[in-house]
Amino acid sequence: MRFKVRGKEEMASNLKRWYTLMKFKTIEWKKEGVRILDQRRLPQEVRYIDCKDASSVAGAIRTLAIRGAPAIGVAAAMGIALAARKIRSHRPDVFRKNLEGAFQEIRQARPTAVNLFWALDRMKRILDQDLALSVDDLKGRLEAEALKIFEEDLKVNQKIGEHGKNLIQDGDRILTHCNAGGLATAGYGTALGVLYAAWSEGKRFRVFVDETRPLLQGARLTAWELMQEKIPVTLITDNMAPWVMKKVGINLVLVGADRIARNGDTANKIGTYGLAISSKWHGIPFYVAAPTSTVDLDLANGLGIPIEERDPAEVTHVQGKQIAPMGIKTFNPAFDITPQFFIKAIITEKGIIRKPFLRHLKRIKAG
Ligand code: MRU
């Protein structure tokens, strides 16, 4: 799937073409409900699930059937629109009251990716905007807002790609972690979006991907996604990364983000922090690609970012098979915080943000 990007109009039509040609759809708004590509089954099986109510959308987020910060945001918004559609009452006060449960359930699905709360806040604003609206109008507006969040994410990702592609040179060896691709967003991707944009321009490079224990998003998802696009990819285990940097010679590390504090400290998949330290040691530029919706100006630094801790079985088992002794104590944080010190720049839809992050992140969030 290759096409060059030039003017604004061309960009929009390329985006449409990209979405149509995409070999998978991460999430779709359907008559039957919210259709989600079940990422727990990839790459063995490409199977879609139809979530018919807000509880099943919350469940899909909680169990990582859909995952990745921007995709979680889109799912949350669609979950609310779906809950709204199901309410029978024509009284706006009853309608608003009945929706509260859906907001609460989805809000509690996962704690780290700020996009989930950002999307729910947008949906809440629609609900509170005009108290004189009828229930039918409210339903229509909530659905329109969820679709807007979806479409905006596609556009934002392509812009991230356009800004970031200039950082990639022909012949580069690029390391990435977890999955920040079309599967983690409405489509196209953030970190992988940068790679798709550079590849479309004719740049040729190789991607090294960490398997990303414990849930193997790198091995199962990123490897699969890049292979679909015929981009050369080499899979390594997480503990190989520093040696690959030294021995193979990585030119650039590129990851996504779940939440970025206003000083630039970044929460991303567990293992990202170690990669950043190792990149610094080897003099390799470390880039984060993320939409501005991932920036949380309320937090002064990374210390305030809630880190999700997940089921011990993810550590004691590999793909359902127990590998550790029964009764072993475990620790399973799903994310870590990379201090801004290690980050060379943050690639957003509004441009490449360099240091001092505090000043520039505030500026782009305001604009
Ligand atoms: O637990 P996950 O799979 O939701 O974690 C995802 C990540 O850490 C991604 O790198 C991040 O959400 C960026 S996605 C564009």
Side-chain angles (χ1 to χ4, degrees):
M1 199 186 302
R2 290 178 54 191
F3 43 82
K4 296 221 179 209
V5 174
R6 286 187 194 95
K8 246 188 184 172
E9 260 169 43
E10 200 178 347
M11 225 169 116
S13 81
N14 277 340
L15 185 63
K16 224 173 183 173
R17 195 167 140 224
W18 173 276
Y19 190 69
T20 320
L21 289 174
M22 239 169 70
K23 294 171 186 85
F24 58 86
K25 299 269 183 286
T26 303
I27 183 163
E28 282 181 285
W29 177 251
K30 292 271 182 197
K31 260 199 239 82
E32 308 78 36
V34 181
R35 182 162 295 169
I36 281 171
L37 172 58
D38 188 348
Q39 299 189 29
R40 296 165 301 189
R41 294 176 181 269
L42 287 172
Q44 278 82 13
E45 232 184 303
V46 179
R47 190 188 289 190
Y48 291 85
I49 41 177
D50 284 326
C51 298
K52 298 213 163 69
D53 54 33
S55 284
S56 44
V57 173
I61 296 172
R62 205 169 32 245
T63 59
L64 271 63
I66 184 156
R67 30 67 51 204
I72 292 174
V74 173
M78 288 187 179
I80 295 299
L82 192 58
R85 192 155 96 184
K86 300 259 154 180
I87 296 173
R88 293 276 154 257
S89 173
H90 288 285
R91 281 182 47 191
D93 56 331
V94 176
F95 175 79
R96 286 193 173 83
K97 187 103 200 89
N98 286 353
L99 258 191
E100 276 171 20
F103 272 100
Q104 220 170 356
E105 193 175 1
I106 296 176
R107 191 169 275 278
Q108 284 163 0
R110 293 190 78 188
T112 304
V114 76
N115 307 61
L116 180 121
F117 310 102
W118 168 86
L120 288 177
D121 288 348
R122 271 181 69 161
M123 298 301 277
K124 190 87 179 54
R125 277 200 293 278
I126 296 294
L127 203 57
D128 297 343
Q129 223 165 44
D130 186 350
L131 296 180
L133 286 180
S134 71
V135 166
D136 282 347
D137 284 342
L138 284 171
K139 286 182 182 178
R141 288 196 185 191
L142 287 170
E143 180 175 328
E145 185 69 358
L147 291 175
K148 195 167 163 211
I149 290 174
F150 170 87
E151 277 158 20
E152 276 176 18
D153 190 54
L154 276 178
K155 286 188 194 137
V156 155
N157 287 331
Q158 201 186 19
K159 283 190 186 148
I160 290 173
E162 287 305 298
H163 291 299
K165 70 183 183 191
N166 300 325
L167 301 169
I168 313 276
Q169 307 299 322
D170 239 349
D172 270 354
R173 289 175 295 272
I174 299 153
L175 181 65
T176 191
H177 189 66
C178 193
N179 174 267
L183 289 166
T185 59
Y188 202 67
T190 56
L192 297 195
V194 169
L195 302 183
Y196 296 143
W199 190 263
S200 301
E201 287 250 296
K203 289 180 182 165
R204 291 297 169 257
F205 47 83
R206 173 165 288 276
V207 183
F208 288 78
V209 54
D210 293 338
E211 65 174 349
T212 320
R213 268 286 284 156
L215 293 181
L216 306 172
Q217 288 92 331
R220 296 186 304 105
L221 309 178
T222 299
W224 180 77
E225 214 187 299
L226 290 172
M227 285 175 80
Q228 304 271 316
E229 297 307 323
K230 309 220 171 347
I231 295 181
V233 53
T234 302
L235 178 64
I236 60 171
T237 64
D238 300 332
N239 48 355
M240 293 172 188
W243 186 244
V244 170
M245 286 179 186
K246 186 178 171 72
K247 207 62 195 157
V248 178
I250 296 292
N251 306 94
L252 181 149
V253 178
L254 183 57
V255 297
D258 286 84
R259 197 185 294 223
I260 302 173
R262 64 174 182 259
N263 72 339
D265 288 355
T266 293
N268 192 49
K269 179 53 57 193
I270 190 77
T272 304
Y273 176 35
L275 277 188
I277 295 172
S278 190
S279 304
K280 191 70 153 182
W281 175 258
H282 292 100
I284 302 164
F286 183 94
Y287 291 101
V288 171
T292 51
S293 54
T294 303
V295 178
D296 185 352
L297 287 185
D298 290 341
L299 297 180
N301 56 52
L303 291 174
I305 301 177
I307 299 291
E308 177 182 10
E309 275 186 46
R310 294 186 61 85
D311 188 349
E314 292 178 358
V315 175
T316 54
H317 291 60
V318 174
Q319 305 252 278
K321 189 176 183 309
Q322 181 155 354
I323 49 151
M326 287 282 281
I328 186 76
K329 193 170 156 36
T330 61
F331 179 45
N332 186 18
F335 301 95
D336 57 27
I337 313 287
T338 299
Q340 57 84 25
F341 169 78
F342 294 104
I343 300 168
K344 172 124 180 144
I346 302 170
I347 309 161
T348 75
E349 75 276 19
K350 294 189 180 166
I352 298 181
I353 307 303
R354 298 188 187 270
K355 292 177 182 178
F357 290 138
L358 182 62
R359 171 143 51 91
H360 296 309
L361 288 176
K362 272 188 177 167
R363 175 179 51 80
I364 56 156
K365 281 290 266 192

